[in-house]
């Protein structure tokens, strides 16, 4: 299969792919997603296949507006609508109770046409989306092309990030092509992603609400709407053997380039000096540093990439995955990366970097 690159002139073709049960690379404001009709179990199953994603890791659904919530969720707290009012369309995913299915609907799902690419089953969420959980992640994306596709296909779109499982998420159509070429019919090119890290995930099925993954909507903003928010332990540290994360995806090695990463945290100037001191001057060592410290590494033999200015965490979020992917095109055997502190969207950048580093973190 040759993977086509589509643009805004091909929206009808793109929406048809979704309606026919195919897979489509979709731009969102956070990262590119690997999308399929979220109500078609056969289509959704093929997402897992293309990504090599473990079956126990549920997908989130991308919807047009908060008006679609009641079709698929129940016991929706008032807080969900207040969050939607303030942050949707935008980089926020809410975990809500999945609507209970009637015995007739379940039977129709079970006996539906499983070998057909086109789905005539009931308009309910199949278990393969939720990995059998009784909750579901709902997100209303802001990217105009993504919104057009949802509107034209008239279905919630199930989409994980469009990377091969374990790799850094794609923030350009080109990144997605690297991972999915030959595996999916098409990728819709909507330009580079504005946020650059995946959506914030807030679980509204518990009290107080719990932040499962930091992203473009920062904890302080959530607290303005929700009051107290608990940050899930999996956000800031590696879970122990017996600990089960609330977002199943948080337990997997993730965002990782091929070479091992050491994340260097603390004062940026001391961090850069630390890296310079420990850097081997061979081409096997790569560096990802804040812009202002590039001159420190002019002598380095390996690749040196900028994460953006130390004070501009939004720019760091936009650049991180591209930098990690760029390292994979070199033959480095070790990557030193400066890590921002946890304020603002820095929490999301640090979370992704720490996971890429397998929590191999040096505090300076
Ligand atoms: O920005 C984003 O959210 C991107 C774009 C494409 O929308 N999507 C994305 O999907 O990052 P994915 O599948 O790569 O990450 C979704 C995370 C996973 O860690 C998954 O385990 C978690 O959400 N998740 C999904 N459903 C859940 C549920 N019902 N309860 C708890 N966690 C859930
Ligand atoms: Mg992902």
């Amino acid at each position: 299969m040759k993977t086509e690159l589509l643009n805004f002139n091909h929206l009808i073709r793109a929406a048809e792919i979704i309606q026919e049960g195919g897979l489509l690379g979709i731009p969102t404001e956070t990262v590119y997603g690997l999308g399929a009709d979220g109500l078609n179990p056969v289509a959704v199953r093929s997402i897992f296949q293309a990504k090599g994603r473990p079956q126990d890791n549920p997908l989130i659904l991308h919807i047009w507006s908060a008006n679609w919530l009641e079709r698929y969720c129940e016991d929706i707290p008032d807080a969900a609508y207040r969050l939607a009012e303030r942050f949707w369309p935008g980089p926020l995913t809410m975990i809500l109770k999945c609507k209970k299915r009637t015995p007739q609907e379940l039977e129709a799902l079970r006996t539906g046409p499983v070998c057909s690419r086109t789905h005539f089953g009931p308009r309910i969420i199949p278990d393969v989306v939720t990995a059998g959980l009784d909750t579901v992640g709902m997100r209303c994306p802001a990217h105009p092309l993504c919104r057009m596709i949802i509107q034209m296909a008239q279905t919630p779109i199930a989409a994980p990030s469009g990377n091969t499982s374990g790799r850094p998420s794609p923030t350009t159509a080109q990144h997605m092509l690297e991972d999915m070429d030959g595996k999916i019919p098409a990728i819709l090119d909507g330009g580079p992603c504005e946020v650059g890290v995946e959506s914030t995930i807030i679980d509204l099925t518990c009290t107080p609400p719990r932040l499962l993954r930091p992203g473009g909507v920062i904890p302080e903003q959530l607290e303005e709407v929700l009051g107290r928010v608990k940050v899930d332990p999996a956000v800031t540290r590696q879970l122990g053997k017996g600990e089960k994360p609330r977002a199943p995806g948080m337990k997997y090695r993730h965002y990782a380039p091929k070479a091992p990463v050491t994340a260097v945290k603390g004062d940026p100037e001391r961090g850069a000096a630390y890296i310079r001191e420990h850097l081997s001057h061979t081409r096997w060592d790569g560096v990802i540093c804040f812009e202002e410290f590039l001159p420190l590494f002019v002598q380095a033999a390996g690749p040196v990439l900028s994460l953006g200015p130390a004070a501009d965490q939004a720019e760091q979020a936009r650049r991180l995955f591209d930098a990690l992917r760029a390292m994979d095109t070199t033959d480095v055997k070790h990557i030193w990366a400066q890590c921002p502190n946890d304020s603002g969207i820095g929490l999301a950048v640090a979370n992704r970097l720490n996971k890429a580093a397998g929590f191999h973190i040096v505090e300076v």
Side-chain angles (χ1 to χ4, degrees):
M1 179 191 304
K2 168 118 184 61
T3 302
E4 270 182 283
L5 262 188
L6 307 178
N7 61 40
F8 59 88
N9 292 311
H10 311 111
L11 285 179
I12 294 180
R13 160 103 185 96
E16 273 171 6
I17 291 176
I18 297 290
Q19 286 177 316
E20 288 165 6
L23 297 183
L24 178 72
I26 302 187
T28 84
E29 74 280 24
T30 56
V31 301
Y32 275 71
L34 181 58
D37 179 351
L39 304 184
N40 178 339
V42 183
V44 174
R45 238 169 264 139
S46 63
I47 295 179
F48 287 84
Q49 230 167 14
K51 267 186 75 98
R53 181 175 175 109
Q55 293 278 347
D56 68 346
N57 194 0
L59 305 180
I60 61 179
L61 290 178
H62 297 69
I63 56 174
W64 170 254
S65 74
N67 290 340
W68 286 26
L69 285 178
E70 278 181 26
R71 299 182 194 173
Y72 310 112
C73 304
E74 63 184 28
D75 299 339
I76 305 168
D78 190 49
Y81 292 104
R82 280 186 279 129
L83 287 173
E85 183 69 32
R86 168 104 188 253
F87 301 113
W88 278 4
L92 178 68
T93 298
M94 303 183 208
I95 305 295
L96 295 165
K97 265 246 169 313
C98 196
K99 200 170 205 154
K100 276 190 211 59
R101 280 91 33 108
T102 65
Q104 291 86 338
E105 285 172 333
L106 286 174
E107 181 60 14
L109 256 191
R110 201 177 61 75
T111 56
V114 283
C115 51
S116 162
R117 280 176 63 79
T118 311
H119 172 63
F120 301 106
R123 309 295 290 165
I124 58 171
I125 302 177
D127 278 346
V128 56
V129 168
T130 59
L133 298 177
D134 57 3
T135 56
V136 61
M138 303 299 272
R139 156 153 148 75
C140 173
H143 194 291
L145 295 193
C146 182
R147 296 184 60 68
M148 293 290 284
I149 298 296
I150 297 169
Q151 183 60 266
M152 290 164 79
Q154 277 298 309
T155 190
I157 293 182
S161 49
N163 51 287
T164 300
S165 235
R167 288 209 76 203
S169 298
T171 53
T172 64
Q174 200 52 43
H175 290 164
M176 236 199 120
L177 200 59
E178 280 167 22
D179 286 17
M180 292 298 151
D181 195 14
K183 295 186 182 162
I184 63 174
I187 297 166
L188 179 58
D189 190 345
C193 299
E194 250 170 55
V195 179
V197 290
E198 305 85 346
S199 61
T200 302
I201 302 181
I202 183 88
D203 187 345
L204 296 179
T205 66
C206 47
T207 320
R210 218 185 245 235
L211 178 76
L212 302 188
R213 181 174 73 183
V217 173
I218 64 175
E220 292 79 356
Q221 290 175 310
L222 291 172
E223 280 174 345
E224 283 167 21
V225 176
L226 296 174
R228 196 165 88 82
V229 167
K230 189 172 155 54
V231 177
D232 197 69
V235 169
T236 48
R237 65 174 173 84
Q238 188 157 35
L239 293 183
K241 275 230 167 62
E243 287 180 290
K244 204 169 139 212
R246 284 183 79 98
M250 296 295 265
K251 69 173 173 278
Y252 295 106
R253 178 162 185 263
H254 212 318
Y255 316 116
K258 288 174 200 132
V261 179
T262 302
V264 180
K265 235 183 152 161
D267 174 66
E269 219 152 296
R270 275 206 306 264
Y274 177 92
I275 293 174
R276 194 164 88 149
E277 212 171 289
H278 290 79
L279 189 68
S280 83
H281 285 272
T282 66
R283 67 194 175 92
W284 310 122
D285 268 23
V287 177
I288 299 174
C289 69
F290 298 132
E291 190 119 316
E292 41 278 70
F293 303 115
L294 285 173
L296 274 188
F297 300 104
V298 282
Q299 309 272 348
V304 179
L305 301 174
S306 164
L307 196 55
D312 188 350
Q313 293 164 331
E315 181 62 15
Q316 294 160 23
R318 277 189 288 272
R319 289 198 196 185
L320 178 66
F321 289 144
D322 184 62
L324 292 175
R325 276 177 177 263
M327 286 295 177
D328 275 351
T329 66
T330 71
D331 44 14
V332 292
K333 293 200 164 67
H334 185 225
I335 300 165
W336 300 88
Q338 283 201 276
C339 182
N341 66 33
D342 287 347
S343 67
I345 196 175
L347 181 67
V349 178
N351 167 266
R352 305 313 188 270
L353 197 52
N354 292 342
K355 294 197 84 174
F359 287 90
H360 186 236
I361 305 165
V362 175
E363 291 257 9
V364 293

